[in-house]
Amino acid sequence: MATYDLRGDYTATVAVPQFTQRSVVVWDIEVDFAGNFPVWSTLAEDLTGLAQNETVSLLHIPAGTTVLGVTATVTTASGDAATLDLGDAGLATRYATDLAADGTALTTFTTGQSRYYVAADDLILKNSSAGATTINDGVLAIRVVAVPA
C-alpha cells in the first residue's frame, strides 16, 4: 500500500490501497429464432422452434465476473406471440421478464442491476410463454456489459 501526503489547510497522511486495473467488456449476442446462424455458431439447432419453458444457454459467465448491465432488444418481431425471460441459473428472470418476442409490448429491456458471480454461471434465455407457444422466427439482440475476472 502506498502512502501519500495530502496538503491543503491541513497536513494528513493517507494510506491508499493499490488496485488492479480491469477492463470492461461488451458481449453482443444476436439470437435468430429462424436458425439463420453463421456456420461457426453453436446455437443454430438449439433455438429453432424454442418451445414453452425451454431454455438455452447463450453465454458462459466466468467466476469472479461482475455483470454491470444487460440490454435485450427485439430487432425483428416474431410472428409468434411468445414471451422471453433472460437470466441465469440462479434466477431465470434476473435481467428481463416477459419480453414480447412479437414486439407488441416491451421491445427493449435494459437493466442497470449489477451482479457479481462468485461461481461460474450461464446467461440463459427462456421461452416463458403462458400458452404452448413455440418461437419459430424473429431476432433478439442482447448486449452484456461486464468486468471479467
Side-chain angles (χ1 to χ4, degrees):
M1 214 184 299
T3 302
Y4 295 94
D5 186 35
L6 303 176
R7 303 208 184 253
D9 294 327
Y10 59 92
T11 300
T13 301
V14 178
V16 179
Q18 298 298 308
F19 294 100
T20 302
Q21 183 175 355
R22 295 170 66 183
S23 299
V24 173
V25 297
V26 177
W27 290 303
D28 285 314
I29 305 163
E30 184 174 85
V31 180
D32 186 333
F33 292 102
N36 301 317
F37 290 93
V39 176
W40 50 264
S41 175
T42 59
L43 299 177
E45 292 182 36
D46 296 337
L47 292 179
T48 303
L50 188 67
Q52 178 191 19
N53 290 322
E54 283 186 336
T55 62
V56 63
S57 295
L58 298 176
L59 175 72
H60 178 73
I61 303 169
T65 297
T66 301
V67 172
L68 302 174
V70 177
T71 301
T73 304
V74 175
T75 57
T76 303
S78 172
D80 305 306
T83 55
L84 302 164
D85 292 342
L86 187 61
D88 55 34
L91 182 60
T93 59
R94 185 172 312 281
Y95 299 113
T97 303
D98 294 335
L99 180 66
D102 63 3
T104 57
L106 185 62
T107 56
T108 301
F109 183 86
T110 305
T111 177
Q113 175 185 350
S114 62
R115 173 154 176 85
Y116 177 75
Y117 287 89
V118 175
D121 207 333
D122 289 324
L123 182 68
I124 295 172
L125 183 68
K126 177 182 178 182
N127 179 346
S128 60
S129 303
T133 304
T134 299
I135 305 172
N136 294 301
D137 61 354
V139 179
L140 179 66
I142 300 168
R143 172 168 279 182
V144 180
V145 180
V147 179

